[in-house]
């Protein structure tokens, strides 16, 4: 009995270590709205600093190597780009070829004119909120190292996919910067991985919103909530309840709008989820 117990305990410990040492990385998708996963060399050297579009990008230790996750904004032009790396050997530039990706177009008709064109007296509020969202996107903390294996934060089918081009009452609008999960009002929302609550806010379009900082420029945002159970600065474990879905903000029906941000860019959340 005793050797088996020892062996089992050792096996369990090794298993735990292996999971900690090798977190799953997002899928390599060098396209607008994707994430480029770039190997930078062995992790014996000090952690290099990586930037793209003058913004710091997450660098993780993965299977004995440093790996950069470069967040590519949806408006990135396909073609040749440069990623800047500063490490033990000095500065260098890595070439990055961004491939074209065609996202589908969705035509929507909305009867409530305030959702299509907000009244002029709200312009200042909306501009201030857009600045807040831009600041969250660029938020960068060196520690902790993020866990990039995400769970879907709500139990529901994925409805509107990331990147869909939207035409609202015949007028082209910004493409869909998140993934929608079809859930009713009051469905529990759970942290997709460990993190810290960066912000709880009430926004004109997004309604009641929570932002979670996962570390090193990886953040997630949740919009249209009916309830928030956390406060700013609170640490969350993977799977911890932080609120409930709803219909707050300017939307036609309840759902969760989930945004994943990497190094200042909103990217496709499905790259961080296990393959279906
Ligand atoms: Zn959405």
């Amino acid at each position: 009995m005793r050797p088996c117990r020892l062996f089992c305990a050792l096996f369990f410990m090794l298993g735990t270590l292996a999971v900690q040492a090798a977190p799953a990385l997002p899928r390599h998708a060098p396209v607008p709205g994707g994430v480029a996963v770039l190997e930078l060399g062995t992790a014996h050297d000090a952690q290099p600093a990586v930037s793209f579009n003058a913004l710091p990008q997450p660098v993780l230790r993965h299977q004995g190597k440093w790996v950069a996750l470069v967040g590519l904004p949806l408006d990135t032009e396909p073609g040749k780009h440069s990623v800047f790396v500063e490490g033990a050997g000095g500065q260098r530039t890595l070439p990055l070829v961004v491939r074209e990706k065609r996202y589908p177009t969705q035509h929507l008709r909305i009867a409530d004119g305030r959702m299509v064109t907000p009244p002029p007296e709200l312009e200042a509020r909306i501009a201030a909120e857009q600045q807040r969202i831009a600041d969250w996107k660029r938020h960068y903390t060196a520690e902790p190292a993020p866990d990039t294996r995400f769970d879907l934060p709500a139990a529901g089918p994925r409805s509107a996919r990331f990147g869909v081009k939207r035409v609202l009452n015949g007028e082209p609008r910004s493409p869909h910067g998140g993934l929608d999960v079809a859930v009713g009002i009051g469905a529990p929302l759970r942290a997709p991985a460990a993190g810290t609550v960066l912000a709880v806010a009430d926004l004109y379009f997004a309604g009641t919103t929570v932002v979670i900082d996962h570390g090193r420029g990886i953040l997630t945002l949740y919009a249209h909530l009916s309830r928030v159970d956390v406060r700013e600065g609170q640490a969350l474990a993977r799977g911890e309840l932080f609120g409930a879905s709803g219909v707050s903000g300017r939307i036609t029906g309840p759902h969760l709008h989930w945004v994943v941000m990497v190094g200042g860019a909103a990217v496709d959340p499905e790259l961080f989820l296990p393959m279906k």
Side-chain angles (χ1 to χ4, degrees):
M1 284 301 282
R2 186 169 290 259
C4 172
R5 253 192 231 157
L6 262 173
F7 176 76
C8 293
L10 188 66
F11 189 75
F12 176 77
M13 276 168 62
L14 284 173
T16 308
L17 284 173
V19 166
Q20 284 174 351
L25 295 172
R27 285 184 285 288
H28 176 57
V31 298
V35 176
V37 181
L38 306 177
E39 270 193 17
L40 301 175
T42 70
H44 297 304
D45 299 325
Q47 185 183 320
V50 171
S51 65
F52 181 69
N53 289 341
L55 292 170
Q57 304 296 314
V59 175
L60 310 173
R61 190 190 290 271
H62 181 75
Q63 294 178 343
K65 295 203 165 97
W66 290 118
V67 174
L69 307 182
V70 179
L72 302 167
L74 261 173
D75 60 4
T76 305
E77 288 291 331
K80 287 182 188 164
H81 291 265
S82 297
V83 175
F84 295 96
V85 183
E86 195 167 356
Q91 281 187 331
R92 62 190 167 120
T93 305
L94 286 183
L96 171 63
V97 176
V98 175
R99 298 195 307 255
E100 195 176 355
K101 176 165 183 179
R102 289 182 187 279
Y103 291 97
T105 301
Q106 185 185 27
H107 291 268
L108 300 165
R109 291 216 71 80
I110 291 178
D112 184 349
R114 285 181 317 150
M115 289 195 203
V116 184
T117 312
E121 65 268 24
L122 287 168
E123 270 174 25
R125 176 187 168 184
I126 290 166
E129 290 179 359
Q130 281 168 346
Q131 186 55 52
R132 258 187 112 180
I133 294 170
D135 291 345
W136 292 332
K137 264 192 196 173
R138 291 169 184 203
H139 184 81
Y140 184 91
T141 44
E143 297 300 335
D147 182 349
T148 55
R149 175 178 55 100
F150 284 175
D151 299 321
L152 197 63
R158 302 171 199 185
S159 43
R161 294 316 231 281
F162 173 88
V164 171
K165 292 178 191 154
R166 288 179 152 174
V167 181
L168 212 58
N169 296 359
E171 288 178 41
R173 291 290 149 140
S174 335
H176 191 221
L179 169 69
D180 287 354
V181 183
V183 278
I185 297 171
L189 302 181
R190 298 182 183 282
T196 304
V197 179
L198 175 70
V200 176
D202 179 29
L203 307 177
Y204 180 76
F205 286 111
T208 304
T209 299
V210 169
V211 184
I212 302 176
D213 179 8
H214 300 279
R216 293 190 192 160
I218 298 186
L219 297 104
T220 52
L221 178 149
Y222 307 79
H224 314 308
L225 275 56
S226 61
R227 196 188 75 230
V228 176
D229 301 326
V230 289
R231 56 182 197 288
E232 290 179 0
Q234 187 172 333
L236 292 173
R238 168 186 296 278
E240 195 169 340
L241 182 77
F242 65 84
S245 60
V247 71
S248 61
R250 297 298 177 270
I251 51 171
T252 52
H255 67 268
L256 168 68
H257 175 76
W258 182 35
V259 182
V260 172
M261 299 173 272
V262 175
V267 299
D268 187 353
E270 293 193 90
L271 297 171
F272 289 76
L273 297 172
M275 291 283 253
K276 285 225 286 189

